[in-house]
Amino acid sequence: MIILGIETSCDDTAAAVLVERHLRSSVVSSQDAVHGPYGGIVPELASRHHVANVLAVIDAALSRAEIAIGDVEGIAVTRGPGLIGSLLVGLSAAKGIAFSKRIPLVGVNHLEGHMLAVFLEREIAFPYVALLVSGGHTSIYLARAPGRYRRIGATRDDAAGEAFDKAAKMLGLGFPGGRVIDQLARGGDGGAVRFPRASIREHPYDFSFSGLKTALRERLRRDLGVSFDSTGAVRAGALSAAWIADLAASFQEAVVDMLVAPTVAAAAELGVSRIVVSGGVSANSRLRQRMQEATGARSLEVHFPSPRFCTDNAAMIAYAGARRLERGERDELTLNAVASLPL
Ligand SMILES: Nc1ncnc2c1ncn2[C@@H]1O[C@H](COP(=O)(O)OP(=O)(O)OP(=O)(O)O)[C@@H](O)[C@H]1O
Ligand SMILES: [Mg+2]
């Protein structure tokens, strides 16, 4: 089956073409430059840029795949969760194509897309424990079969990606900042500052990252005597490059500790021998390394998508949609977007 995938849930406009579950093209148009100056995503700007870009991105995906629009046999589109104005742009484009070409449409949960992204590159046997760690979500699921996921833990406050982004903003590293922290941390000492590792005793698979952000702010303000500008970032020149690298590495070490321990413990308790880590933060090099070490020591398997399939993309949506279309699932053209769609 030839599937066109469309993803516009947040700030990336993306389209991809899959032929018999094999990826033929994946195009992502990032809006980082649009939102960077605001230090966060501005929903109204995100949807307006999706409107301007979505058709060109779809065209680019089709032409790179050397597939004519008339040969597409099904459309998979993200229907939630995400920013409602952003979701509606991709959904409307998908409906327009499905209607005019008389081909089936299927709505995909963005989180299922992340969860199955790893299958674009290799088949993994079910069941597995999935750590989904992104800009908006941090959860552990038991994936029993395609389409059968049970959430066993989630963050009580910030997502891990959000924590990285807020820390980066505080350190004056721009937005989004997860990747910058990852790069700078390579030249820093992860043991320079001991940040607190939060855990919730009665709910060992839940997470909490908001205290970490406060700890970083307090460390900067009280112990290092650093002041902040009106955007909440440290004043330019207030910290040496070496300190920034040490703080980035120490912050990252705390986040990684908080992610690795519960995930490995969940696999052990559930008697599952495979772990799949996905979502934007799964691109983090230290998380990948520490997860490999922790699972290797316990004879568990761990799998990550390639970095380009960790952050938002339409290939994962096309893949998740292809599996649904193959099972005979279809959605009506009345399908609506849902901002807080659960998995
Ligand atoms: N190498 C990295 N290390 C740490 N964080 C990273 C890295 N690369 C990307 N991120 C973080 O990943 C997040 C973006 O991930 P993704 O695109 O999956 O999220 P989203 O679509 O914003 O959220 P969601 O998928 O929950 O709706 C950002 O918070 C970004 O800082
Ligand atoms: Mg995402």
Side-chain angles (χ1 to χ4, degrees):
M1 224 180 167
I2 301 178
I3 311 289
L4 171 65
I6 301 174
E7 150 67 39
T8 64
S9 68
C10 193
D11 63 331
D12 291 313
T13 318
V17 175
L18 222 59
V19 179
E20 311 308 338
R21 290 195 192 175
H22 292 291
L23 186 64
R24 286 283 283 268
S25 68
S26 174
V27 176
V28 180
S29 168
S30 163
Q31 297 181 11
D32 284 353
V34 173
H35 304 284
Y38 300 93
I41 293 161
V42 183
E44 176 70 19
L45 287 180
S47 40
R48 283 171 186 270
H49 279 81
H50 286 310
V51 169
N53 296 332
V54 70
L55 294 180
V57 167
I58 291 171
D59 267 346
L62 289 168
S63 76
R64 276 185 213 176
E66 297 178 349
I67 295 284
I69 186 84
D71 294 331
V72 173
E73 295 165 291
I75 313 263
V77 61
T78 306
R79 65 177 292 239
L83 299 170
I84 196 72
S86 289
L87 288 164
L88 286 169
V89 178
L91 191 60
S92 304
K95 285 181 185 180
I97 299 169
F99 177 72
S100 62
K101 300 292 170 193
R102 299 180 190 286
I103 51 178
L105 169 81
V106 71
V108 173
N109 186 308
H110 181 83
L111 303 179
E112 182 176 34
H114 276 304
M115 191 107 95
L116 298 180
V118 70
F119 286 82
L120 287 162
E121 299 166 291
R122 79 201 78 120
E123 280 295 315
I124 291 167
F126 287 86
Y128 58 81
V129 163
L131 170 65
L132 206 157
V133 65
S134 63
H137 296 84
T138 299
S139 307
I140 300 178
Y141 292 88
L142 172 63
R144 291 203 194 88
R148 287 184 59 211
Y149 315 107
R150 180 160 68 87
R151 198 173 82 171
I152 59 170
T155 182
R156 298 288 183 97
D157 40 57
D158 292 350
E162 197 179 349
F164 272 119
D165 291 339
K166 287 177 176 170
K169 191 175 167 184
M170 231 185 278
L171 293 171
L173 303 174
F175 174 87
R179 205 169 52 194
V180 185
I181 291 197
D182 187 353
Q183 279 157 3
L184 288 177
R186 288 173 206 181
D189 172 8
V193 176
R194 175 79 195 171
F195 286 113
R197 273 76 167 152
S199 61
I200 300 153
R201 192 175 305 143
E202 311 79 58
H203 298 278
Y205 308 127
D206 282 356
F207 306 91
S208 171
F209 295 100
S210 64
L212 197 52
K213 182 182 65 195
T214 313
L216 173 62
R217 178 174 295 282
E218 284 306 289
R219 182 82 196 185
L220 289 165
R221 198 180 60 81
R222 225 177 29 211
D223 303 345
L224 299 173
V226 170
S227 59
F228 298 88
D229 66 18
S230 59
T231 68
V234 292
R235 290 197 182 279
L239 283 173
S240 67
W243 250 121
I244 292 184
D246 282 353
L247 287 165
S250 301
F251 187 90
Q252 174 176 273
E253 208 59 29
V255 175
V256 168
D257 271 345
M258 284 193 268
L259 293 171
V260 172
T263 308
V264 170
E269 188 180 310
L270 295 165
V272 171
S273 63
R274 279 170 293 271
I275 294 175
V276 173
V277 189
S278 58
V281 179
S282 67
N284 183 269
S285 59
R286 185 67 180 148
L287 176 63
R288 293 167 93 99
Q289 183 191 359
R290 291 278 313 283
M291 211 44 122
Q292 296 278 10
E293 289 166 6
T295 51
R298 291 168 182 79
S299 304
L300 299 168
E301 276 173 38
V302 65
H303 301 275
F304 301 87
S306 295
R308 73 184 181 118
F309 300 129
C310 291
T311 44
D312 287 351
N313 65 86
M316 66 186 194
I317 302 303
Y319 183 87
R323 293 193 78 140
R324 290 191 173 271
L325 287 163
E326 287 164 14
R327 292 201 292 270
E329 289 183 34
R330 304 284 185 267
D331 281 306
E332 299 295 325
L333 291 177
T334 51
L335 180 71
N336 211 343
V338 182
S340 55
L341 187 69
L343 183 60

